């Protein structure tokens, strides 16, 4: 029997055996991986799943109150990893807690303190609590199955080794060897003998070499430590120059330039684009098996998006965590909405998921969600499902959707339950919302539903009660621990990780994100105990992880003839170091062969330009230039407001995007008090005040002050109940009350009388254009033949208003109001703190009104005749323009 590290080894092994046998046909030995071999042995007892073990640890931690405000689920999972490590490495803790503490004290080489005592108590007490519970866990089941296989040993066993043996596997081979022959074939030794890998082999210091084929745990530890120490001393004795001389002398033809290159990118985007370009060049060259070894998953996601945009699919061996997938997002958004009492952003995020209400037609559901969002934003519904329900009277689709949400919420409306109970309630709520039906249409969704059902079944007998918040933390952790593998993609491009490349041959290999932060990386040694303590206890240390990684790198270089290693040489303007493994290799190779293996950025650009790798479907974008679209006749609006006219004057492209394409930003639900809220309240206060007191001169000043103050408090009251900052805005308005009354009394003394406020208007200008809007206030002067004055309240400084009116036609608001009402006068009323000032245009308002309307009609006529609408707005207009990203002014402005 042959024990394989993975099934990728089986084919080249079979071919080698047939070649050596030199026969037409041979009977191959049984070839299997250890994992599959173990699974062929049924466990003697039922194995308790890790979900139950974590829950047991969680309950123990909660009962002991060791970690007050910490995330107990995360701590429970870390402890489970540690306890499994102790089991896998056959570690037995002392019976007495003081003896264990003394052992830690010796390993830490420090006197016992509160922290050490606490750490010892946690591990010791939980270790014995879990071991005395009689539970048969996965680690023990694995060891028992291996022991059973060793007892049944009959056939000779050949072990192909690609990484260091763990304690459990080493013990198994030793037990098997007592009944049948065992031969270990270290594939690492075979790969390191290749002359081309001499440089890589020299830097792979500290890698364990097995002279004894089946070392015991203690022998293995001593052997590894001695071997590492010998290598470190050897490396210290030889300088880099001496190593280079050694390579030149003994391996003059072992240069790696023909098979290995490095590219240091300036930022994430350049690295992703360089990787995409290289993969496509390899595909064009006819390579059928390309591996992407991703050290940086962020760069890998961007590169994958670029490839898929160009029609190149990627087969992902590593999988995606469920927590990063949209199928899990809809679950968490549903729980977010539930816990936030349907806060509007959580609610809208939930309703925009493609999985909710999957039992409805897609177009109907999208229309319903759009209408509901408009309703919520228009009425400023911050939260509460009942509030939104009250607004949906008469709309059956929206009302039905919200009622289903309320029904689903009632299923999960409880203080606490078991994990299984919460999962059952979650599944029921997903059925009510149609999410379960939507998930069944997605491969990842099907796997997620299966996982939820498996967890519910595994935890059925568990009686631990948790709150909704605690259960949510558990669920989030479960989604983060489990991965989805898409097995439907068949592609020559494979995304994998370093350990999965062991003894595999590819046509080309791209190592992505190989900077010092990602390679060698942090490892997976856990948060409990440092390496000194782990060595004392017999647990694997970080050096074991690093040695394994060096083995994998050496094998990857030995097995493959075409490799490109990329990293970001700079991040955010700061230098970013290459992995120390590769940095030493580059330096050594340059000294030995005069080539540091690095592709210069300029060379890479020329390489890409000389190769037609970009699909014709996705041509290079043209150089950015000022956009100047022409409005289609059917899209030209037939109505315009004063603010819309202002937008047209400020920037024609802004008007095109806002009022022709209707790309305006949606109304915001204002959760905090803003200055525009303050302006709306002041407008409402003044309208109500003047409607009640149209002539102020007949009343006492004290009564006017009291009346205006009373109305102000009434208007501000609802806002002050939900936001204490509204009181500050009220105080700011109260500063202006005396001056406002004084100004109004002066107006009345001049003969002006308040006629109307907040007046809507519509006025046809031509058969194809109508002007509309709402005017803050209209005054009349009976003495002067019923003269009319239009006023607009502004909560801003008078100087800014004067600047707006300085150039004729720059601000058209007052001019439009003057034209509509045929007014003799027009002015802004600046209300800023304790100052109230009327600001009128310096020009003749009647002439200004006629000129502005004439210009408006002329511009619309030009628009209908195909005149372009360029983005030539001044910087002041662009500063807060929401269309700035659409016109990309920053790009073409630099050009």
């Amino acid at each position: 029997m042959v024990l394989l590290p993975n099934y990728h080894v089986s084919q080249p092994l079979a071919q080698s055996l047939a070649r050596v046998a030199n026969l037409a046909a041979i009977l191959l030995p049984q070839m299997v991986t250890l994992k599959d071999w173990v699974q062929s042995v049924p466990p003697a007892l039922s194995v308790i799943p890790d979900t139950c073990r974590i829950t047991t640890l969680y309950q123990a931690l909660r009962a002991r109150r060791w970690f007050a405000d910490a995330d107990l689920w995360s701590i429970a999972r870390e402890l489970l990893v540690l306890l499994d490590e102790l089991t896998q490495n056959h570690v037995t803790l002392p019976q007495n807690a003081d003896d264990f503490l003394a052992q830690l004290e010796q390993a830490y080489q420090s006197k016992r303190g509160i922290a050490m005592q606490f750490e010892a108590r946690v591990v010791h007490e939980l270790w014995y609590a879990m071991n005395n519970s009689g539970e048969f866990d996965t680690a023990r089941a694995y060891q028992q199955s291996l022991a059973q296989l060793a007892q049944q040993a009959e056939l000779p066993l050949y072990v192909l080794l690609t990484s260091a043996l763990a304690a459990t596997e080493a013990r198994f081979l030793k037990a098997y060897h007592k009944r049948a022959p065992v031969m270990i074939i270290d594939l690492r030794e075979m790969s390191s003998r290749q002359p081309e890998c001499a440089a890589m082999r020299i830097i792979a210091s500290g890698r364990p070499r097995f002279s004894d084929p089946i070392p015991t745990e203690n022998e293995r530890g001593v052997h590894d430590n001695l071997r590492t120490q010998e290598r470190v001393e050897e490396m210290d004795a030889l300088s880099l120059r001496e190593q280079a001389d050694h390579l030149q002398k003994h391996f003059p033809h072992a240069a790696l330039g023909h098979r290995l290159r490095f590219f240091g990118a300036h930022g994430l985007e350049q690295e992703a684009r360089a990787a995409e370009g290289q993969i496509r060049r390899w595909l064009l060259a006819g390579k059928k098996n390309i591996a992407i070894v991703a050290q940086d998953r962020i760069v890998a996601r961007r590169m994958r998006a670029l490839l898929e945009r160009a029609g190149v699919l990627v087969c992902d061996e590593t999988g995606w965590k469920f927590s990063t997938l949209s199928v899990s997002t809809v679950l968490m958004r549903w729980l977010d909405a539930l816990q936030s009492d349907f806060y509007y952003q959580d609610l809208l995020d939930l309703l925009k998921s493609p999985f909710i209400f999957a039992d409805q037609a897609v177009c109907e559901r999208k229309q319903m969600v759009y209408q509901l969002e408009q309703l919520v934003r228009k009425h400023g519904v911050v939260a509460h499902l009942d509030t939104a329900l009250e607004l949906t009277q008469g709309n059956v689709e929206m009302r039905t959707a919200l009622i289903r949400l309320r029904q689903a919420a009632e299923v999960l409306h409880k203080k606490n339950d078991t994990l299984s109970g919460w999962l059952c309630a979650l599944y029921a709520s997903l059925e009510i919302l149609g999410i379960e039906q939507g998930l069944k249409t997605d491969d990842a969704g099907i796997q997620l539903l299966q996982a939820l059902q498996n967890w519910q079944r595994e935890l059925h007998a568990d009686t631990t009660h948790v709150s909704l918040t605690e259960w949510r933390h558990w669920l989030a952790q479960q989604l983060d621990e489990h991965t989805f593998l898409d097995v439907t993609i068949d592609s020559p491009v494979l995304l994998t990780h370093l350990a999965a490349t062991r003894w595999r041959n590819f046509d080309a290999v791209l190592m992505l994100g190989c900077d010092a932060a990602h390679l060698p990386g942090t490892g997976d040694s856990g948060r409990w105990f440092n390496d000194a303590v782990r060595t004392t206890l017999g647990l694997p240390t970080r050096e074991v992880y690093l040695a394994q990684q060096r083995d994998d790198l050496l094998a990857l270089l030995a097995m493959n003839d075409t490799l490109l290693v990329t990293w970001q040489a700079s991040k955010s303007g700061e230098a970013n170091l290459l992995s120390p493994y590769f940095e030493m290799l580059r330096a050594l190779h340059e000294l030995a062969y005069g080539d540091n293996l690095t592709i210069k950025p300029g060379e890479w650009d020329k390489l890409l330009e000389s190769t037609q790798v970009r699909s014709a479907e996705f041509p290079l974008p043209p150089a950015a230039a000022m956009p100047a679209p022409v409005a289609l006749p059917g899209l030209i609006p037939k109505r315009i407001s004063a603010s819309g006219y202002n937008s047209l004057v400020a920037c024609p492209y802004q008007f095109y995007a806002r009022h022709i394409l209707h790309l305006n930003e949606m109304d915001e639900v204002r959760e905090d008090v803003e200055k525009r809220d303050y302006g709306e309240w002041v407008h409402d206060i003044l309208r109500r005040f003047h409607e009640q007191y149209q002539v102020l001169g007949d009343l006492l000043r004290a009564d006017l002050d009291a009346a205006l103050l009373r109305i102000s408090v009434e208007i501000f009251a609802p806002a002050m109940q939900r936001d204490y900052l509204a009181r500050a805005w009220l105080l700011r308005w109260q500063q202006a009350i005396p001056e406002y009354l004084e100004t109004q009394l002066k107006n009345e003394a001049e003969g002006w009388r308040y006629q109307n406020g907040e007046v809507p208007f519509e006025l046809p200008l031509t058969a194809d254009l109508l002007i509309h809007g709402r005017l803050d206030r209209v005054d009349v002067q009976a003495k002067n033949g019923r003269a009319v004055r239009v006023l607009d309240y502004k909560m801003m400084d008078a100087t800014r208003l004067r600047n707006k009116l300085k150039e004729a036609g720059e601000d058209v608001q007052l001019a439009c109001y003057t034209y509509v009402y045929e007014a003799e006068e027009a002015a802004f009323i600046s209300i800023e703190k304790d100052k109230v000032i009327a600001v009128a245009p310096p020009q003749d308002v009647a002439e200004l009104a006629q000129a502005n309307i004439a210009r408006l009609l002329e511009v619309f006529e030009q628009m209908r005749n195909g005149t372009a609408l360029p983005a030539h707005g001044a910087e002041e207009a662009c500063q807060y323009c929401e269309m700035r990203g659409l016109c990309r002014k920053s790009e073409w402005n630099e050009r």
Side-chain angles (χ1 to χ4, degrees):
M1 177 177 287
V2 180
L3 203 58
L4 305 175
N6 55 61
Y7 286 112
H8 299 288
V9 183
S10 59
Q11 184 176 358
L13 176 61
Q15 293 171 347
S16 298
L17 290 174
R19 186 168 53 252
V20 171
N22 196 24
L23 297 173
I26 62 170
L27 184 63
L28 292 172
Q30 182 182 355
M31 294 184 285
V32 67
T33 63
L34 186 58
K35 179 181 178 182
D36 286 352
W37 196 15
V38 167
Q39 288 180 349
S40 67
V41 180
L45 301 173
S46 61
V47 178
I48 182 170
D50 286 346
T51 50
C52 295
R53 298 176 65 209
I54 289 176
T55 306
T56 302
L57 281 171
Y58 176 85
Q59 193 172 16
L61 292 172
R62 188 171 63 175
R64 288 165 173 78
R65 299 181 181 276
W66 281 335
F67 303 92
D69 300 319
D71 182 1
L72 296 185
W73 287 117
S74 296
I75 296 174
R77 185 169 290 278
E78 290 172 13
L79 280 168
L80 184 67
V81 171
L82 175 64
L83 297 182
D84 282 345
E85 275 190 305
L86 293 170
T87 301
Q88 291 160 3
N89 290 275
H90 303 277
V91 176
T92 301
L93 300 185
Q95 289 283 345
N96 190 289
D98 287 337
D99 293 341
F100 181 53
L101 180 58
Q103 189 178 10
L104 292 185
E105 187 177 2
Q106 182 179 4
Y108 277 121
Q109 296 183 352
S110 173
K111 293 183 178 180
R112 64 184 64 185
I114 296 176
M116 188 188 300
Q117 291 176 357
F118 177 70
E119 184 178 39
R121 182 185 177 191
V122 170
V123 175
H124 189 271
E125 189 170 328
L126 292 178
W127 161 258
Y128 276 99
M130 295 293 285
N131 277 275
N132 295 333
S133 65
E135 296 175 343
F136 192 62
D137 57 55
T138 307
R140 286 182 175 81
Y142 179 68
Q143 291 175 346
Q144 185 189 72
S145 298
L146 286 177
Q148 188 174 345
L149 287 174
Q151 290 173 2
Q152 300 170 354
E154 296 178 354
L155 299 174
L157 184 64
Y158 295 86
V159 182
L160 302 185
L161 198 66
T162 58
S163 60
L165 285 170
T168 299
E169 285 76 21
R171 175 173 287 200
F172 160 69
L173 293 180
K174 192 173 184 65
Y176 195 102
H177 187 51
K178 293 179 180 179
R179 296 178 176 271
V182 176
M183 178 176 288
I184 296 181
I185 304 171
D186 196 338
L187 299 180
R188 299 171 299 174
E189 296 289 349
M190 296 174 60
S191 63
S192 64
R193 293 193 190 105
Q194 296 187 24
E196 293 85 352
C197 298
M200 194 68 177
R201 188 176 73 243
I202 286 179
I203 71 163
S205 61
R207 182 169 65 80
R209 307 294 179 96
F210 288 94
S211 55
D212 180 8
I214 312 174
T216 64
E217 297 92 291
N218 291 334
E219 290 171 344
R220 181 172 57 85
V222 173
H223 179 81
D224 288 358
N225 288 336
L226 290 176
R227 177 67 63 182
T228 300
Q229 184 64 29
E230 291 170 1
R231 276 309 190 91
V232 170
E233 291 174 356
E234 180 184 352
M235 292 292 289
D236 289 340
L238 294 173
S239 69
L240 200 62
R241 178 70 260 179
E242 290 171 330
Q243 294 172 39
D245 293 340
H246 177 78
L247 285 173
Q248 287 177 331
K249 180 178 179 181
H250 297 283
F251 304 98
H253 304 296
L256 303 175
H258 65 287
R259 61 190 302 178
L260 173 66
R261 304 300 287 177
F262 294 89
F263 175 70
H266 297 298
L268 184 150
E269 185 67 18
Q270 189 184 38
E271 183 180 8
R273 290 190 175 277
E276 177 228 9
Q278 181 60 75
I279 290 169
R280 298 182 65 185
R281 289 181 65 243
W282 282 337
L283 289 172
L284 290 173
K287 297 187 183 299
K288 303 296 185 182
N289 188 16
I290 301 171
I292 304 168
V293 183
Q295 301 298 121
D296 188 338
R297 293 288 290 184
I298 297 177
V299 180
R301 282 199 294 268
R302 177 57 180 154
M303 175 209 63
R304 182 173 182 170
L306 293 172
L307 285 171
E308 291 184 352
R309 187 181 71 175
V312 179
L313 296 179
V314 177
C315 179
D316 191 351
E317 275 190 347
T318 60
W320 297 91
K321 291 183 178 181
F322 271 114
S323 58
T324 65
L325 302 177
S326 59
V327 294
S328 296
T329 301
V330 66
L331 262 63
M332 304 314 287
R333 292 295 79 80
W334 163 228
L335 297 176
D336 285 339
L338 187 67
Q339 285 194 286
S340 66
D341 195 12
F342 294 95
Y343 173 63
Y344 81 100
Q345 288 187 350
D346 294 334
L347 175 62
L348 294 176
D349 286 345
L350 171 65
L351 294 177
K352 290 176 183 178
S353 169
F355 300 107
I356 195 170
F357 302 141
D359 49 0
Q360 296 181 5
V362 175
C363 57
E364 294 178 2
R365 181 180 59 81
K366 288 184 176 181
Q367 180 67 19
M368 179 274 296
V369 173
Y370 174 76
Q371 291 176 351
L372 183 61
E373 181 171 13
Q374 295 288 335
L375 192 69
V376 166
R377 293 183 179 278
K378 179 180 179 181
H379 293 275
V381 179
V382 177
H384 311 307
L385 198 59
D386 290 339
T387 304
L389 264 169
E390 291 175 0
L391 299 174
T392 59
Q393 300 293 340
N395 190 310
V396 178
E397 291 79 10
M398 281 194 289
R399 191 166 185 80
T400 302
L402 296 181
I403 289 174
R404 291 178 69 177
L405 285 170
R406 187 164 62 183
Q407 291 172 346
E410 290 172 355
V411 174
L412 287 164
H413 186 67
K414 46 189 174 180
K415 290 185 178 180
N416 58 69
D417 200 347
T418 63
L419 293 176
S420 178
W422 281 117
L423 288 169
C424 183
L426 173 65
Y427 206 97
S429 70
L430 297 182
E431 290 178 331
I432 294 173
L433 295 175
I435 295 176
E436 183 249 3
Q437 181 175 333
L439 294 178
K440 286 183 177 179
T441 63
D442 185 272
D443 291 335
I446 293 172
Q447 290 191 24
L448 176 60
L449 291 175
Q450 291 173 346
L452 293 175
Q453 292 171 346
N454 291 338
W455 298 336
Q456 182 185 347
R457 184 173 56 254
E458 292 171 356
L459 294 163
H460 179 69
D462 186 82
T463 58
T464 306
H465 277 67
V466 295
S467 66
L468 175 61
T469 302
E470 290 174 299
W471 171 68
R472 277 206 61 184
H473 287 166
W474 173 86
L475 181 61
Q477 187 182 79
Q478 289 293 107
L479 295 175
D480 199 52
E481 290 292 328
H482 290 74
T483 57
F484 162 70
L485 290 175
D486 189 351
V487 297
T488 62
I489 296 178
D490 184 16
S491 171
V493 182
L494 175 72
L495 181 64
T496 187
H497 55 93
L498 185 59
T501 64
R502 292 171 187 167
W503 209 250
R504 295 173 68 179
N505 180 260
F506 302 96
D507 293 343
V509 177
L510 171 68
M511 291 199 68
L512 199 65
C514 296
D515 57 11
H518 292 92
L519 187 68
T522 57
D524 191 21
S525 59
R527 299 183 184 179
W528 296 87
F529 306 138
N530 62 18
D531 276 356
V533 178
R534 297 177 73 85
T535 301
T536 301
L537 295 176
L539 296 175
T541 63
R542 175 170 169 77
E543 180 54 38
V544 174
Y545 163 76
L546 295 178
Q548 180 176 299
Q549 198 170 58
R550 287 192 293 267
D551 289 339
D552 294 338
L553 280 174
L554 180 60
L556 186 66
L557 183 62
M559 293 291 297
N560 297 280
D561 294 330
T562 304
L563 291 96
L564 174 66
V565 177
T566 69
W567 87 102
Q568 295 176 53
S570 62
K571 281 187 175 182
S572 303
E574 299 290 335
N576 188 41
L577 298 178
L578 177 64
S579 165
Y581 294 145
F582 289 129
E583 189 60 65
M584 185 178 292
L585 175 61
R586 283 202 313 167
L588 186 60
H589 198 275
E590 185 172 19
L591 288 173
Y593 305 110
D595 179 12
N596 70 354
L597 305 173
T598 303
I599 301 175
K600 300 296 187 294
E603 298 175 11
W604 186 268
D605 293 339
K606 292 178 181 178
L607 195 62
L608 287 180
E609 289 175 3
S610 63
T611 329
Q612 295 181 359
V613 298
R614 187 168 291 275
S615 168
E617 186 179 354
F618 298 99
L620 286 167
M626 178 191 290
V630 174
L632 296 176
L635 297 179
I636 297 175
K638 298 182 180 297
R639 292 165 53 90
I640 189 169
S641 64
S643 61
Y645 188 7
N646 260 334
S647 175
L648 179 60
V649 172
C651 175
Y653 183 83
Q654 182 189 86
F655 177 83
Y656 173 80
R658 284 181 181 175
H659 302 283
I660 294 179
L661 298 183
H662 301 290
L663 300 179
N664 315 54
E665 286 187 327
M666 300 185 74
D667 293 332
E668 289 293 333
V669 177
R670 298 198 290 275
E671 302 174 52
D672 301 319
V673 176
E674 301 175 3
K675 191 169 185 180
R676 57 175 172 171
D677 296 303
Y678 169 65
E680 291 175 2
W681 294 331
V682 171
H683 280 64
D684 197 15
I685 289 167
L686 294 176
R687 178 188 61 79
R688 287 176 56 178
F689 176 72
H690 285 296
E691 285 178 353
Q692 294 181 29
Y693 307 96
Q694 294 194 359
V695 180
L696 306 187
D698 300 337
L699 302 172
L700 296 175
R701 177 61 182 271
D703 294 339
L704 294 174
D705 285 328
L708 189 50
L709 182 59
R710 173 181 54 78
I711 295 173
S712 301
V713 172
E714 291 175 0
I715 297 294
F716 273 85
M720 289 191 294
Q721 289 179 356
R722 65 175 186 268
D723 192 338
Y724 69 93
L725 290 177
R727 186 174 298 277
W729 289 104
L730 173 60
L731 294 174
R732 180 170 182 168
W733 161 241
Q734 287 174 345
Q735 286 182 286
I737 287 177
E739 186 63 25
Y740 179 81
L741 291 174
E742 189 67 30
T743 302
Q744 181 59 24
L745 289 171
K746 290 180 180 177
N747 289 337
E748 290 186 3
E750 295 173 0
W752 292 105
R753 296 290 185 269
Y754 174 86
Q755 184 184 55
N756 212 340
E758 300 299 323
V759 187
F761 64 85
E762 288 186 351
L763 179 65
L765 300 178
T766 66
D768 297 324
L769 186 61
L770 176 146
I771 189 169
H772 67 97
R774 181 180 296 272
L775 182 58
D776 289 350
R777 177 172 157 183
V778 179
D779 284 0
V780 295
Q781 192 178 46
K783 299 179 182 177
N784 193 18
R786 303 291 296 177
V788 176
R789 178 173 65 177
V790 291
L791 301 175
D792 192 80
Y793 302 125
K794 295 291 184 185
M795 309 300 122
M796 66 175 63
D797 183 73
T799 303
R800 286 183 58 192
L801 294 172
R802 292 190 186 96
N803 291 334
K804 289 166 66 76
L805 298 175
K806 184 182 298 183
E807 296 292 332
E810 287 298 310
D811 189 288
V812 303
Q813 191 172 8
L814 289 178
C816 289
Y817 295 160
T818 301
Y819 183 86
V820 170
Y821 283 90
E822 298 180 352
E824 283 75 15
E825 295 187 25
F828 289 130
I829 303 298
S830 167
I831 303 176
E832 183 70 1
K833 296 182 180 179
D834 60 347
K835 296 180 180 179
V836 178
I837 302 172
V839 180
Q843 304 85 12
D844 181 272
V845 293
E847 294 179 2
L848 184 65
Q850 291 292 337
N852 272 282
I853 295 301
R855 179 180 61 178
L856 175 63
L857 296 175
E858 181 181 357
V859 168
F860 264 75
E861 184 62 28
Q862 292 173 348
M863 205 184 303
R864 296 186 190 100
N865 292 332
T867 301
L869 298 169
H872 59 32
E875 187 59 35
E876 184 179 355
C878 298
Q879 188 173 3
Y880 301 107
C881 178
E882 73 277 16
M883 303 302 167
R884 189 181 184 96
L886 190 63
C887 78
R888 298 184 299 167
K889 182 174 183 177
S890 57
E891 296 186 24
W892 53 261
N893 201 34
E894 290 176 1
R895 293 177 183 269

